Amino acid sequence: MRVYHFSEQPYPDAWLPDHDLRVTLPNRLCEPQAAADLYQRYQDEWMLADELGFDIMVNEHHSTSTCLSAVCTVTLSILARITKRARLLALGMPLANRADPLRVAEEFAMIDVISRGRLDMGFVKGVPYEVVVANASPIRMMDRLWEAHDFILKAMTHQDGPFNWSSENYQYRAVNIWPRPWQQPHPPVWITATSLPSAAPIAKRGHVLATFLGGYKTRALFDAYRDAYRAAWLREAPPDRLAYLGLMAVASTEEEALARAEKVAGYLRTIARVPEPFRNPPGYASIDDNARAVKHGAQRAGLVTPSGRTIQPITAPARDLIEAGILFAGTPDQVYAQIARFNEAMGGIGNLVVMGQGGPLSHAETVDSLTLFGKEVLPRLKEHHSSEAVAAAE
Amino acid sequence: MSATSVIVPVAGQNTEIWSQGEGTPLLFLHPGIGTTGSEPMLARLAREGRVIAPSHPGFGRSDLPTWFDTVDDLALFYLDLMEKLDLRDVTLIGADLGGWIAAEVAVRSTERISRLVLSGAVGIRVNDRDTPDLVDVYSLPRAELDKVRFLNPDVAKVDPAALSDDDARIIARNREAEALFAWSPYMHNPKLARWLHRIRVPTLVLWGEEDKLAPLSYGRAFADAIPGARFETIAQAGHYPHIEQPGIFAGRIAAFAAGAALERAV
């Protein structure tokens, strides 16, 4: 199992208790000096993760103090040069919000070459509340995502001089990217999904399906992928086609680890602090889902633990988050056991993304947590295969 | 003659069309919120002629082709619809988004149109680049929306739990379709004002005196850009005078149609 270290690069000093944190938070609250310190600190933590044997994930969000990374390829460009061995995953590039996929292909190709072939290209639909800041239409986003995906892969694999492209949303006259990517035929593609019908289009293309914080019900999504993969490729989906993201905090004592976990969970506590008009722009959700919302209001489903309890991640204490499978926290032994148990329940997955830094978790705490995980958990996970995955391979 | 609602193929797609009355056609293009609340005005208007009120593609029960995404598509669609139904001497009436569509139809061709009525029409750009013309409904909390749209928001009040699944679905479809056509550039075509001079049929621009979504100055600018257009306001109405003052709204159209016919006779 590969483990990616992820931080949203938060700016928690501007997590005002009485203010929404997305779209409308004035940027006068961002002190450039403090932001510079944070950027460099988070980069230092990724360099440490690289040395410890982690891979690396970065993302982007816009108009928010929850994530200072407004352009994931800027962060990745720096990491491409200052890290040595880690895979560099963008998860992701909000393709439906990027007006110019040619530019995305160029940025990714440069990063792949500078890093000597370490890029993983994650394409995501993007969160509902950022269509307004991207000024992108919330309608038909998945159509744009797949159209841009097709174009980017052609741009990355076409080596015979300029080609012309004219699709519904994107038109180009002379596409001929320099450099071409290091990895052949192109860097691996990851796509995020949460709903079962989203799995098949990813599986048919053989891309990695990544999903965030879904807890134990994620098994159904992974199985939907496995079924579609088997139908398309006439073999079992290798575990490395699946990825799961959870929060992580390790310490020498359980008590300290749970205290750290509560800070990382600041991410969950703030995720819903979005001004109401931007939470569900028209077209982002399906007509059927929106018709239900018209009648019954927006539903917050919560997560069901293996023992059948429903918890609300935004408010649930760290122990409940662990039970629900969205937080791995404790001593190294405890965290290994939690991950092994979750992985077994998922039927064996090849990629785990951990939010090893979140919220106000300090540099010293992050370094200690990453180091403990890197030295005492990661080596065991690298050898780890679920019994189901082993059976499937045999 | 009582009202009927039928599904008719237009330009290859199923289109929901409400109609009532006989005589000279009055084609009503509904606002972005759909046909909800328009029926009392339409029924009153049906005393004056044959009222035809389609649901735009993507709205109500009308199909939405996957390639439709601009108001240009809707304008050409309505030129097709007038041909398909062989409508002539049409009084074309558009409210809000429907007004924008009606203006886009009229700058293309008035061959089948004799009179144009725009009510609370969106579609043009008036102010400088730093000053929005219209309230951005996509940035408003739900609780504020109807206060901006109506003088009396109670007019629009519905009990969500009492809605049929079908009606809830139509509300969701209307909201998505309006955003498909009007998200960006927000509620306008940057070039439309420059082409409004092509409208050479008698035009009435109607505006609710209490319109908080599109101010009176915006309505006046719309009328000023159309040669000879008349600008009239309706008291005790917000952005949708056809919903808040249905009788007065229909009466103004009847008077305008009669006057326009008289002018032509002279």
Side-chain angles (χ1 to χ4, degrees):
Chain A
M1 181 187 279
R2 286 185 169 276
V3 181
Y4 290 72
H5 164 53
F6 166 53
S7 168
E8 286 221 308
Q9 307 186 69
Y11 187 111
D13 283 354
W15 291 12
L16 301 188
D18 56 347
H19 204 293
D20 288 318
L21 299 184
R22 298 177 189 268
V23 185
T24 54
L25 188 71
N27 68 9
R28 66 170 175 272
L29 296 166
C30 177
E31 294 296 340
Q33 174 74 50
D37 292 347
L38 283 170
Y39 280 127
Q40 297 194 11
R41 177 206 141 180
Y42 297 135
Q43 288 159 12
D44 288 346
E45 290 163 10
W46 273 312
M47 287 172 75
L48 171 66
D50 180 45
E51 288 165 18
L52 289 167
F54 287 90
D55 296 295
I56 289 170
M57 169 180 151
V58 305
N59 73 336
E60 69 175 59
H61 283 293
H62 302 263
S63 302
T64 178
S65 60
T66 64
C67 174
L68 281 181
S69 180
V71 186
C72 67
T73 44
V74 168
T75 301
L76 279 185
S77 309
I78 297 163
L79 296 178
R81 184 69 175 94
I82 66 174
T83 62
K84 298 284 184 282
R85 44 145 299 283
R87 300 288 306 165
L88 301 173
L89 166 63
L91 201 62
M93 176 63 72
L95 271 192
N97 290 352
R98 287 288 300 263
D100 185 358
L102 173 60
R103 184 80 182 189
V104 175
E106 290 179 324
E107 290 168 8
F108 273 158
M110 279 184 69
I111 290 164
D112 196 42
V113 171
I114 293 168
S115 68
R116 299 185 192 277
R118 293 188 282 130
L119 176 69
D120 291 320
M121 299 189 292
F123 298 138
V124 299
K125 181 180 176 186
V127 290
Y129 34 86
E130 286 174 17
V131 292
V132 65
V133 289
N135 199 33
S137 171
I139 321 285
R140 300 174 180 162
M141 291 180 80
M142 289 309 289
D143 294 349
R144 293 204 300 281
L145 185 149
W146 285 115
E147 201 177 307
H149 157 278
D150 293 350
F151 169 76
I152 288 167
L153 293 197
K154 179 162 183 188
M156 286 195 155
T157 52
H158 185 91
Q159 300 180 8
D160 303 322
F163 70 88
N164 184 290
W165 176 276
S166 300
S167 61
E168 192 82 26
N169 293 290
Y170 310 108
Q171 298 83 30
Y172 294 102
R173 79 164 33 83
V175 182
N176 180 27
I177 64 167
W178 278 76
R180 66 186 173 94
W182 178 288
Q183 296 174 88
Q184 295 297 311
H186 57 76
V189 175
W190 295 40
I191 309 258
T192 47
T194 47
S195 68
L196 301 188
S198 309
I202 305 169
K204 280 179 195 151
R205 291 168 173 87
H207 296 334
V208 177
L209 180 151
T211 191
F212 297 173
L213 300 166
Y216 282 86
K217 73 171 190 298
T218 304
R219 176 65 189 256
L221 178 66
F222 287 149
D223 282 350
Y225 180 97
R226 290 182 177 111
D227 291 345
Y229 190 97
R230 196 180 302 113
W233 299 88
L234 306 176
R235 57 187 160 88
E236 294 301 316
D240 74 355
R241 297 297 85 191
L242 300 169
Y244 180 79
L245 182 146
L247 313 185
M248 181 277 274
V250 187
S252 322
T253 67
E254 183 180 20
E255 189 189 8
E256 175 60 22
L258 291 178
R260 287 179 185 175
E262 197 46 59
K263 293 180 186 171
V264 176
Y267 165 77
L268 296 174
R269 313 304 184 214
T270 53
I271 201 165
R273 289 172 59 184
V274 180
E276 185 236 81
F278 309 117
R279 287 177 201 161
N280 180 25
Y284 186 88
S286 70
I287 296 277
D288 287 339
D289 286 348
N290 279 329
R292 269 189 292 278
V294 166
K295 284 191 75 167
H296 308 295
Q299 305 288 309
R300 192 160 276 160
L303 288 175
V304 180
T305 69
S307 65
R309 258 185 344 120
T310 299
I311 65 137
Q312 296 299 336
I314 289 173
T315 51
R319 283 184 194 282
D320 283 359
L321 301 176
I322 294 171
E323 194 185 330
I326 63 172
L327 166 68
F328 307 108
T331 64
D333 285 345
Q334 289 175 316
V335 166
Y336 172 74
Q338 290 162 11
I339 293 173
R341 177 188 183 206
F342 186 78
N343 187 46
E344 195 70 35
M346 293 302 109
I349 60 173
N351 305 286
L352 178 69
V353 180
V354 293
M355 184 182 276
Q357 193 287 327
L361 192 72
S362 72
H363 179 63
E365 290 169 317
T366 305
V367 165
D368 188 56
S369 180
L370 284 177
T371 304
L372 284 167
F373 191 105
K375 294 199 165 148
E376 300 187 37
V377 183
L378 200 50
R380 284 190 268 177
L381 288 176
K382 290 213 164 172
E383 303 303 313
H384 185 87
H385 301 286
S386 85
S387 54
E388 278 188 64
V390 171
E394 282 164 359
Chain B
M1 197 176 124
S2 61
T4 58
S5 191
V6 292
I7 302 285
V8 178
V10 177
Q13 55 200 329
N14 287 326
T15 306
E16 176 182 40
I17 299 180
W18 183 101
S19 61
Q20 188 177 355
E22 284 169 21
T24 316
L26 299 129
L27 177 59
F28 177 73
L29 305 186
H30 65 73
I33 57 169
T35 56
T36 320
S38 300
E39 291 86 349
M41 185 282 291
L42 295 174
R44 164 65 185 78
L45 201 58
R47 290 188 223 154
E48 311 297 330
R50 176 187 171 199
V51 175
I52 300 157
S55 292
H56 311 323
F59 291 77
R61 294 177 183 80
S62 291
D63 285 353
L64 177 65
T66 55
W67 52 274
F68 264 45
D69 57 7
T70 64
V71 171
D72 299 336
D73 296 317
L74 298 177
L76 293 165
F77 170 86
Y78 278 113
L79 288 169
D80 268 5
L81 181 138
M82 286 190 286
E83 274 181 35
K84 163 94 185 178
L85 302 180
D86 195 20
L87 306 180
R88 294 167 194 277
D89 194 21
V90 173
T91 299
L92 180 63
I93 307 155
D96 174 67
L97 172 70
W100 177 7
I101 302 166
E104 296 273 8
V105 169
V107 299
R108 283 166 177 75
S109 169
T110 48
E111 190 188 335
R112 290 170 181 273
I113 301 167
S114 299
R115 289 155 298 275
L116 178 66
V117 180
L118 304 176
S119 169
V122 299
I124 61 168
R125 190 79 186 101
V126 175
N127 290 337
D128 65 70
R129 66 184 186 183
D130 298 311
T131 315
D133 290 308
L134 308 163
V135 172
D136 181 0
V137 295
Y138 301 116
S139 297
L140 282 185
R142 283 300 168 91
E144 299 300 312
L145 262 181
D146 286 340
K147 291 185 200 161
V148 165
R149 288 169 164 163
F150 296 94
L151 172 62
N152 173 15
D154 290 343
V155 170
K157 207 165 250 176
V158 289
D159 172 13
L163 286 171
S164 70
D165 288 351
D166 206 31
D167 286 341
R169 200 177 150 75
I170 285 172
I171 291 171
R173 288 196 88 216
N174 291 351
R175 183 167 177 259
E176 178 169 325
E178 182 191 43
L180 172 67
F181 297 112
W183 179 269
S184 181
Y186 177 63
M187 296 280 178
H188 77 287
N189 165 0
K191 292 185 178 179
L192 177 58
R194 305 222 184 229
W195 289 115
L196 289 177
H197 68 88
R198 285 180 45 79
I199 299 176
R200 306 239 170 80
V201 294
T203 299
L204 171 66
V205 177
L206 283 175
W207 226 261
E209 280 182 7
E210 313 291 336
D211 193 332
K212 292 190 273 289
L213 196 153
L216 282 168
S217 57
Y218 185 86
R220 280 201 193 90
F222 222 125
D224 287 346
I226 299 172
R230 218 182 129 68
F231 183 74
E232 292 182 14
T233 62
I234 295 182
Q236 294 297 305
H239 186 58
Y240 308 111
H242 70 286
I243 296 175
E244 290 194 279
Q245 299 297 340
I248 293 170
F249 186 92
R252 295 286 184 89
I253 291 172
F256 167 67
L262 200 65
E263 276 172 38
R264 278 203 305 172
V266 175

